[in-house]
Amino acid sequence: MRSELAGELLKLEGIVEHVIYENPDNGYTVFEVDAGGTDVVVAGNVGSVDNGMSVTVYGYMTTHPSYGEQFRAETCEATLPEETGAILSYLSSGVLPYIGPSTAKKLVDKFGEETLTVIAETPQRLCELKGITPQKATAISNEFRRMYGVREVVAWMARFGLSAQQAVEVYRTMGPHTVQALEQNPYLLCGEPLNLKFDLVDGIAMRLQVEQGSALRVGAGILYALRHNANNGHTCLPRAKLVASTARFLRLAPEQVEQALEIQIQEEELRTRNFEGTTYVYLPDLLSAEEDIAARLGELSTFPTEAPPNLDSDIRVLEFAQGFAYAPLQREAIRMALSNRVMVLTGGPGTGKTTTVRAILSLYEAIYDRVALCAPTGRAANRLGELTGHKASTIHRLLEVDYTSGSVRFVHNEKNPLPFDVIILDEMSMVDAKLFQALLAAARYHCRIIMVGDADQLPSVGPGNVLGEILRAGVLPTVCLTEIFRQAQKSVIVQNAHRIVSGVMPQSGGKTDDFFMIESSGLACQRLVCELVSSRLPKAYGFDPVRDIQVLCPTKVGPTGSVELNRRLQAILNPPDAAKPQIVWEQSGRVLRLGDKVMQIKNDYDIPYERDGAEAGVGAYNGDLGIITEVDPSGRSVTVQMEDRKYLYGADQLAELEPAYAVTVHKSQGSEFPAVIMPLADVPARLCYRNLLYTGVTRARKLCILAGTRRTEKAMVDNVRQNMRYSGLRFLLQQAVTPPQKP
């Protein structure tokens, strides 16, 4: 065994004897290496290897709890076998189609050390062997070149410190010419699928001797600026702002950026639109999303529609059945929903949105057989179903995700529309432009769309501010409920939510109220939050500290950020125990333990789930919460119970789970919790804004506690500037609904 230090890592050289396990999706491989007569088990995200390969691996020795000593690989340099014996071992392993041990021996006997060159470059010569047809020869060569291409990408990206998992993702997107494409334009790494930071890719480009002022770099910088701002919610940027900000971070003159931008616009790599005398620059897909939304909503709003003939009497029957009369605005909303193809219903907590939706749903179900209820997240859909007494689903499940192509597509689209006559969409503030575009595209031409939401909540995580822009456009039938009903008036949570929206400081309630604030800061605030969750609230109110209480943080960082509070609360509520299996990430120290409360942090359309007494399925979505019910440390897998679904997470999916004793307010959208604790100490100035505070407070159903400083609370109430997002939807919608004036 040859092993030596290379920096802080060990170097291991040898021949691959046996591939034990391989995950082609992320490059995680376990294999046995003959290192000069000593067999060593190697494991890590190093890409594909095969029997007979020579490898040089860098890493460190670890002890696996079930499998014993292993060499944990950080990088792996693999070369194809060159000697006939190694080539025979390689081909006999079944690595290529139609080649088994017998055929492998015939090939090596005939072509010797040139066997792999023949397979790669002149596959027609394989037909010289009996039984190999031209079709089989082509399939053998194509698979060999694909595998060699993946390894080539892994090796190329390893030079720049990028992982095999990243290499596999890039190869899957870009194909066999990946290395050539990246050599010519390394800035492709800033786009899909990796979306690497520009500074990192800029460093790679410098090593490849790409000049600072090259057209490649400037064009990539412009695209990166637009994508970065899309991740912050903007669907477009004013042209002048885009040029100025790009010039700053590229450290170039604005004229150079302007010149590159003009070329991208002329080549339709980017698009522009002019609104109110200002030119805005779009990524093409986001402009298409906003234009499609505007066009479809415009069509629906101008579609001739008549109200049902007995609508008023039907409303009176509903009132009689439930024993109370609707308020004037509720009645107006019900009439409007039944009299139009599209309608928006908005209002804050306690204003009767759910009661109104139930009435609209009941009346539509008396007319149509196919009415759908949906919401952006699983928790929001479940809550909608509970409140209305009807089945509700997520938008993704309604559209049915097709992930077979490797990219997210929906089964239902304009060619395969949804079978519904009415779609009622709740929590509209959370719906981003591209998801709403997909839903409208899949809706039948005659389908009615009812949008329900609270425009004062945080906008969607994805680009766009669809509900806000629709309301600002002022051209769709809309009812805003404003009256707080008597029962809701008793809630200080509801009263304070409306005070926050109005820019007024919340009232601090007493011990018998459902809302109060406790002043604290720094580490004292951290200790306070932990005490409230672990002992004070369970003792005083009977809340379960894991299932009933949710800490909602404005930020991830700092002593009262979600990362540190999760670490503290996990140690208190679910401490290490010999009887509780767990999985630990060696480098970060992050732990997933039996009994932990966890959150899914990205959409994953491949994770399988089972549902008791119902169908199985796939798909977990950003923001879904659950409890770990099983842990398999040796297989590095966990089972998570989320609502009525049981998910199995494999080793390559565990990174999508995070402890969720504390989560950010953004991640809580669409959810409600019996008790919410919101730490308002040490909040960064950029996160001190009104609708973040409002969204956090309105997640509480029975009790809301603010723990922090009055100064931070006031800063959040006073600041409305962070609500602004660049979008052209309201202008496009106005153009779609209002015909142009004749000269």
Side-chain angles (χ1 to χ4, degrees):
M1 173 178 180
R2 182 181 170 188
S3 177
E4 60 189 55
L5 283 174
E8 293 185 357
L9 297 178
L10 289 169
K11 178 182 177 182
L12 174 70
E13 293 181 319
I15 305 295
V16 177
E17 287 287 298
H18 174 52
V19 178
I20 300 168
Y21 171 80
E22 181 180 351
N23 186 325
D25 291 332
N26 63 8
Y28 183 78
T29 309
V30 182
F31 55 99
E32 208 168 47
V33 172
D34 178 358
T38 303
D39 289 340
V40 181
V41 175
V42 179
N45 292 91
V46 294
S48 174
V49 297
D50 295 298
N51 295 353
M53 278 188 164
S54 297
V55 293
T56 302
V57 189
Y58 294 93
Y60 49 90
M61 297 302 300
T62 62
T63 301
H64 192 281
S66 297
Y67 302 123
E69 196 172 56
Q70 292 183 346
F71 192 90
R72 182 72 180 182
E74 293 294 315
T75 62
C76 177
E77 300 166 4
T79 57
L80 289 170
E82 297 177 353
E83 298 178 354
T84 55
I87 294 172
L88 178 60
S89 174
Y90 172 70
L91 293 177
S92 297
S93 67
V95 68
L96 295 176
Y98 307 116
I99 297 180
S102 175
T103 304
K105 186 174 188 310
K106 293 176 184 177
L107 285 170
V108 174
D109 286 346
K110 185 170 185 62
F111 300 116
E113 293 180 355
E114 299 298 314
T115 302
L116 298 183
T117 303
V118 169
I119 290 173
E121 298 176 6
T122 56
Q124 64 275 11
R125 292 187 61 192
L126 300 179
C127 298
E128 296 173 18
L129 267 70
K130 186 178 180 180
I132 298 183
T133 64
Q135 293 82 4
K136 287 182 179 180
T138 299
I140 292 167
S141 184
N142 286 345
E143 176 61 12
F144 177 77
R145 283 187 279 118
R146 183 198 70 79
M147 292 165 55
Y148 181 77
V150 173
R151 294 190 192 103
E152 186 184 23
V153 177
V154 170
W156 189 90
M157 292 183 67
R159 290 165 50 198
F160 306 106
L162 301 176
S163 71
Q165 181 172 354
Q166 291 172 311
V168 171
E169 289 183 60
V170 171
Y171 183 87
R172 191 184 293 131
T173 301
M174 299 176 63
H177 302 295
T178 298
V179 170
Q180 296 93 309
L182 292 177
E183 290 277 2
Q184 293 174 13
N185 183 7
Y187 293 102
L188 293 171
L189 293 170
C190 291
E192 294 291 341
L194 296 187
N195 296 308
L196 295 182
K197 290 185 177 180
F198 191 87
D199 287 347
L200 174 61
V201 179
D202 216 18
I204 295 173
M206 286 179 63
R207 291 173 62 180
L208 294 172
Q209 299 183 330
V210 177
E211 294 182 2
Q212 187 176 19
S214 73
L216 276 181
R217 182 173 185 266
V218 182
I222 294 168
L223 289 172
Y224 183 81
L226 284 169
R227 292 189 192 113
H228 176 77
N229 280 278
N231 289 334
N232 289 333
H234 305 288
T235 59
C236 56
L237 284 181
R239 180 168 181 156
K241 182 179 179 67
L242 173 62
V243 169
S245 62
T246 305
R248 276 196 305 273
F249 88 79
L250 291 180
R251 299 181 296 281
L252 295 173
E255 294 76 19
Q256 290 176 274
V257 177
E258 184 66 56
Q259 185 179 10
L261 175 59
E262 188 57 40
I263 293 171
Q264 288 176 308
I265 293 169
Q266 289 174 5
E267 294 178 351
E268 297 191 338
E269 192 173 1
L270 298 176
R271 307 286 176 83
T272 61
R273 289 293 181 270
N274 192 284
F275 305 125
E276 295 185 332
T278 300
T279 300
Y280 292 83
V281 182
Y282 277 91
L283 293 165
D285 61 329
L286 291 177
L287 177 60
S288 295
E290 292 202 332
E291 287 183 332
D292 289 352
I293 291 168
R296 184 62 189 276
L297 293 181
E299 289 173 358
L300 289 171
S301 69
T302 55
F303 197 97
T305 307
E306 293 183 0
N310 301 316
L311 180 56
D312 284 334
S313 62
D314 290 340
I315 293 173
R316 286 195 295 272
V317 169
L318 279 179
E319 290 176 326
F320 179 77
Q322 64 192 6
F324 63 83
Y326 297 112
L329 279 176
Q330 288 180 304
R331 185 179 281 265
E332 180 185 343
I334 297 166
R335 286 199 192 96
M336 189 177 287
L338 272 290
S339 306
N340 293 275
R341 294 280 170 177
V342 63
M343 181 257 187
V344 182
L345 173 63
T346 184
T351 56
K353 286 199 306 294
T354 301
T355 301
T356 308
V357 168
R358 278 200 295 260
I360 294 169
L361 178 61
S362 178
L363 292 173
Y364 265 134
E365 287 188 325
I367 302 171
Y368 298 111
D369 293 328
R370 300 171 298 184
V371 180
L373 278 175
C374 61
T377 68
R379 292 183 70 86
N382 288 337
R383 187 163 60 89
L384 178 63
E386 291 168 2
L387 292 172
T388 60
H390 292 70
K391 182 182 178 182
S393 73
T394 63
I395 300 172
H396 284 89
R397 288 201 170 93
L398 200 70
L399 295 173
E400 296 183 51
V401 177
D402 174 16
Y403 202 57
T404 56
S405 65
S407 60
V408 180
R409 295 182 181 177
F410 294 112
V411 171
H412 293 287
N413 48 45
E414 59 273 10
K415 296 179 181 178
N416 180 29
L418 292 162
F420 303 111
D421 302 299
V422 182
I423 296 175
I424 299 176
L425 173 54
D426 197 17
E427 296 287 356
M428 187 66 200
S429 63
M430 298 177 60
V431 180
D432 64 61
K434 297 194 75 172
L435 183 58
F436 195 45
Q437 175 195 29
L439 180 64
L440 290 178
R444 291 176 181 269
Y445 182 70
H446 67 271
C447 182
R448 297 175 185 240
I449 306 292
I450 311 297
M451 295 170 276
V452 184
D454 184 347
D456 293 310
Q457 288 189 23
L458 289 170
S460 58
V461 174
N465 185 8
V466 177
L467 178 59
E469 289 287 289
I470 289 172
L471 294 174
R472 288 188 190 94
V475 293
L476 297 186
T478 301
V479 172
C480 179
L481 302 176
T482 55
E483 179 185 351
I484 305 175
F485 287 93
R486 186 177 300 129
Q487 186 175 357
Q489 287 175 356
K490 299 175 183 177
S491 168
V492 182
I493 293 174
V494 171
Q495 293 175 27
N496 280 337
H498 289 271
R499 290 172 70 87
I500 291 167
V501 165
S502 303
V504 179
M505 285 285 284
Q507 294 176 330
S508 185
K511 291 184 178 180
T512 59
D513 291 318
D514 60 2
F515 182 106
F516 55 92
M517 181 171 188
I518 304 174
E519 292 198 58
S520 185
S521 62
L523 290 174
C525 185
Q526 181 192 88
R527 289 192 294 271
L528 171 63
V529 170
C530 292
E531 288 173 7
L532 287 167
V533 174
S534 62
S535 58
R536 290 170 62 171
L537 296 189
K539 184 177 180 181
Y541 297 90
F543 290 133
D544 183 294
V546 174
R547 299 180 184 276
D548 295 335
I549 303 173
Q550 186 61 59
V551 179
L552 300 182
C553 305
T555 179
K556 289 184 176 181
V557 300
T560 54
S562 60
V563 173
E564 185 61 21
L565 279 173
N566 261 320
R567 192 175 70 84
R568 300 278 181 173
L569 288 168
Q570 184 185 45
I572 296 169
L573 299 175
N574 193 27
D577 188 315
K580 290 182 181 177
Q582 63 182 31
I583 296 173
V584 182
W585 276 258
E586 288 86 356
Q587 278 124 339
S588 67
R590 187 161 67 90
V591 178
L592 291 179
R593 185 176 297 135
L594 181 67
D596 270 340
K597 182 179 186 178
V598 291
M599 173 179 278
Q600 173 77 19
I601 60 171
K602 60 179 284 189
N603 289 343
D604 188 321
Y605 309 100
D606 273 348
I607 297 179
Y609 67 81
E610 297 177 353
R611 185 180 282 155
D612 291 340
E615 80 286 354
V618 293
Y621 301 99
N622 191 357
D624 285 353
L625 288 168
I627 304 292
I628 296 178
T629 56
E630 296 178 37
V631 176
D632 178 4
S634 60
R636 293 188 73 79
S637 66
V638 301
T639 301
V640 180
Q641 187 75 39
M642 295 182 179
E643 302 290 344
D644 61 342
R645 301 181 304 280
K646 183 187 293 184
Y647 287 89
L648 177 62
Y649 286 77
D652 54 327
Q653 296 160 324
L654 292 182
E656 299 172 15
L657 287 176
E658 287 185 354
Y661 302 100
V663 302
T664 62
V665 176
H666 284 85
K667 290 288 189 183
S668 73
Q669 286 179 267
S671 300
E672 274 192 357
F673 310 96
V676 164
I677 302 169
M678 193 171 178
L680 300 184
D682 307 307
V683 178
R686 63 185 176 81
L687 293 174
C688 287
Y689 54 97
R690 184 181 298 172
N691 62 356
L692 189 145
L693 176 61
Y694 173 81
T695 301
V697 168
T698 53
R699 300 307 89 207
R701 191 162 63 241
K702 297 180 180 179
L703 178 67
C704 180
I705 299 176
L706 304 184
T709 65
R710 293 286 183 187
R711 183 181 68 255
T712 299
E713 183 185 31
K714 188 173 191 313
M716 298 182 84
V717 170
D718 290 344
N719 184 10
V720 296
R721 291 179 58 195
Q722 292 287 344
N723 298 348
M724 190 275 295
R725 286 187 172 189
Y726 288 112
S727 167
L729 179 58
R730 66 184 181 280
F731 304 113
L732 295 167
L733 191 52
Q734 288 167 345
Q735 293 167 11
V737 174
T738 308
Q741 298 295 318
K742 293 182 180 180

